[in-house]
Amino acid sequence: MNKNTQKPQQGIDFSTWSMVKRLAGVYLRPYVRKLTIALSFMVVASAMTAAFAWLVEPVFDRVLVGQRKGLVVPMAFAVFACFLIRGLASYVHTLLMNRIGQCIVADIQRDLFSSLLRLDLRFFHGNPSGQLVSRIISDVQAVRGAVSDTLTGMGRNLLTLLFLVALMFYQDWRLAVISFFAFPFAAIFVSWIGRRLRKISKNIQAETGILTALLIQIFQGVRQVKAYDTESFEQQRSGMAIDRVRDLNIKAIRVATLATPFNETLLGLAVMAVIIYGGYQVSAGLLTVGELTSFITAFALAYEPMKRLAKLNNTLQIGLGAGERIFEMMDKRPEIRNRPGAGVLDVKKPEIVFEHVSFGYGLDEEHALKDISFTLPAGKVTALVGPSGSGKTTAMNLVARFYDVLEGHILIDGHDIREVTLESLRRHIALVSQDVTIFDDTVKANIAYGRPEVSDDDIH
């Protein structure tokens, strides 16, 4: 596994708070207006849930027990109105939140791709293309689920829970305290599960990247695979990578579902406590049947958003694990960039001069070029001839500043190429590689690649 894909950069904070703050501050800010509208509908939907629980008390005490026939139809319509308004408000806020979530993830995907394109050739040589594709596709898909689900569900469930809890304390604060005694334990357990899932998520995304890179390599080299009859070997190799991804996903499911038996047990204890205390209160005449039923309804309705919030925390942590990998890549900076005060290269005499140039691809490797000096005269065709590995391609890479020399200078028309802008330098260079690349576009677009301003006559 490539080390560049695993080690986070020093000095970068990837804590949950910093990640959420970055997502909100950079990517959520452009959609604040839509978010405000969605939140207003979310408040309405949550308030209707609490209103239904509140209406249970008069339905029981005044209609069913009190037998006030004049209230039957109004109460029934009031309950219907709660469900109708909640349904419409839920539709609007869910639609808006999902749209915001999809836009945010598309922005992240676009920024990540732009950041990767700006990096040096050394980076792409050190990171297989499959792993980079996995970052843009697989990692961003994990973030997509986290952002969409969290934006859609977190606010509504949290608001619904707050409205219902407020109603429960309004009805009977002692009963509310008894029913919520287990909540701190549930919160601690959910937090522990979230931390575990975030770590597993990072491993899943890393292994998925390795699998994607392996598959791309096999498909690109399928001619060699067929020629050397290595289908079985490649099946075994890819099968091992598939099994690692499978095992990690099973592990994530196992950890995530631990919350279910734990929360159900705590819920059972809370319901038992409510029934015991509430039953004695009704028997003593301190609570009516309607009040107790309304409280139990509110408590039952509050359990669902609590359960969803626990699941959303799992989804959020999985997304943050993938987001950490994305931001690691997004925060990388190219080693080769314009120096302060770099000028624009204006070539009058396209002569290229190597002056005592030395270069090596790695700190521990031998120099590919050592103290090399030669001149490529203007207006002439010059060929660099030598055995494979003698540095011909390296010399060409240095002229285009795909890499920078370790020692010496490369001059074009007397200008050190490190003292001019990369854009102006590369505008004067045409690359015809022995490895032919055809982009998935028209023949015209491939011929004019990099020069969108050329005319049809120039292309012909």
Side-chain angles (χ1 to χ4, degrees), residues 346-374:
D346 184 16
V347 178
K348 299 292 191 300
K349 180 184 177 185
E351 180 181 74
I352 302 174
V353 178
F354 277 57
E355 293 183 347
H356 304 289
V357 170
S358 296
F359 174 77
Y361 285 98
L363 296 176
D364 300 328
E365 297 179 15
E366 294 183 3
H367 282 79
L369 298 175
K370 181 68 174 176
D371 195 21
I372 298 296
S373 298
F374 59 85

Side-chain angles (χ1 to χ4, degrees), residues 90-146:
S90 296
Y91 170 77
V92 175
H93 88 70
T94 301
L95 188 64
L96 287 173
M97 283 299 197
N98 271 293
R99 179 174 293 180
I100 293 170
Q102 295 299 326
C103 289
I104 288 174
V105 172
D107 292 342
I108 293 173
Q109 211 163 22
R110 193 179 296 110
D111 288 350
L112 174 60
F113 181 65
S114 298
S115 297
L116 291 176
L117 277 185
R118 286 195 294 269
L119 295 177
D120 308 313
L121 209 59
R122 186 190 299 273
F123 169 82
F124 290 97
H125 286 163
N127 291 270
S129 59
Q131 293 195 22
L132 301 181
V133 171
S134 177
R135 298 269 176 137
I136 297 174
I137 303 298
S138 177
D139 288 14
V140 173
Q141 283 288 23
V143 175
R144 186 189 302 276

Side-chain angles (χ1 to χ4, degrees), residues 262-282:
F262 187 81
N263 289 337
E264 292 292 338
T265 302
L266 290 178
L267 175 67
L269 289 173
V271 171
M272 181 180 70
V274 168
I275 292 173
I276 292 173
Y277 178 80
Y280 279 117
Q281 291 291 91
V282 171

Side-chain angles (χ1 to χ4, degrees), residues 177-452:
V177 170
I178 291 172
S179 64
F180 284 103
F181 79 93
F183 278 22
F185 301 102
I188 293 171
F189 191 68
V190 166
S191 176
W192 176 80
I193 287 177
R195 289 194 299 271
R196 291 277 294 151
L197 281 175
R198 182 167 172 179
K199 183 178 179 181
I200 295 171
S201 170
K202 281 195 67 179
N203 292 333
I204 289 174
Q205 300 306 322
E207 290 295 342
T208 301
I210 293 171
L211 174 60
T212 305
L214 177 60
L215 294 177
I216 290 176
Q217 289 170 11
I218 293 171
F219 291 142
Q220 287 178 340
V222 70
R223 184 168 58 177
Q224 284 77 15
V225 173
K226 296 289 185 183
Y228 292 99
D229 192 27
T230 56
E231 288 94 337
S232 298
F233 169 74
E234 296 299 350
Q235 286 174 359
Q236 182 181 8
R237 192 158 65 119
S238 60
M240 292 172 62
I242 291 170
D243 288 344
R244 288 196 297 271
V245 175
R246 177 203 63 194
D247 292 342
L248 283 169
N249 276 296
I250 292 173
K251 185 177 181 180
I253 294 169
R254 187 172 66 246
V255 171
T257 50
L258 277 175
T260 301
F262 187 81
N263 289 337
E264 292 292 338
T265 302
L266 290 178
L267 175 67
L269 289 173
V271 171
M272 181 180 70
V274 168
I275 292 173
I276 292 173
Y277 178 80
Y280 279 117
Q281 291 291 91
V282 171
S283 300
L286 300 175
L287 276 178
T288 66
V289 173
E291 288 172 338
L292 180 59
T293 305
S294 176
F295 183 90
I296 293 175
T297 301
F299 181 78
L301 290 172
Y303 174 65
E304 278 305 312
M306 280 190 292
K307 189 165 66 173
R308 292 194 197 104
L309 284 171
K311 290 182 178 179
L312 284 172
N313 180 64
N314 294 344
T315 305
L316 176 63
Q317 293 302 326
I318 290 172
L320 289 177
E324 185 174 330
R325 284 168 43 85
I326 289 172
F327 288 134
E328 283 175 8
M329 282 295 181
M330 203 178 288
D331 290 337
K332 287 183 180 295
R333 295 292 176 263
E335 296 176 7
I336 298 175
R337 49 186 179 267
N338 292 330
R339 289 184 175 181
V344 176
L345 179 61
D346 184 16
V347 178
K348 299 292 191 300
K349 180 184 177 185
E351 180 181 74
I352 302 174
V353 178
F354 277 57
E355 293 183 347
H356 304 289
V357 170
S358 296
F359 174 77
Y361 285 98
L363 296 176
D364 300 328
E365 297 179 15
E366 294 183 3
H367 282 79
L369 298 175
K370 181 68 174 176
D371 195 21
I372 298 296
S373 298
F374 59 85
T375 299
L376 307 178
K380 295 184 179 181
V381 176
T382 304
L384 297 182
V385 181
S388 178
S390 61
K392 303 184 299 297
T393 302
T394 298
M396 295 302 97
N397 286 335
L398 292 175
V399 171
R401 275 199 80 193
F402 293 144
Y403 300 91
D404 269 341
V405 300
L406 298 180
E407 298 174 6
H409 305 275
I410 298 176
L411 308 176
I412 296 180
D413 196 9
H415 302 282
D416 190 320
I417 61 173
R418 289 173 296 183
E419 301 300 331
V420 298
T421 63
L422 287 168
E423 297 79 14
S424 64
L425 168 66
R426 291 172 184 172
R427 273 201 302 269
H428 289 86
I429 296 173
L431 175 66
V432 181
S433 173
Q434 62 184 0
D435 301 318
V436 179
T437 299
I438 300 295
F439 291 96
D440 187 13
D441 207 332
T442 63
V443 174
K444 175 182 175 181
N446 272 279
I447 293 173
Y449 188 76
R451 296 183 62 193

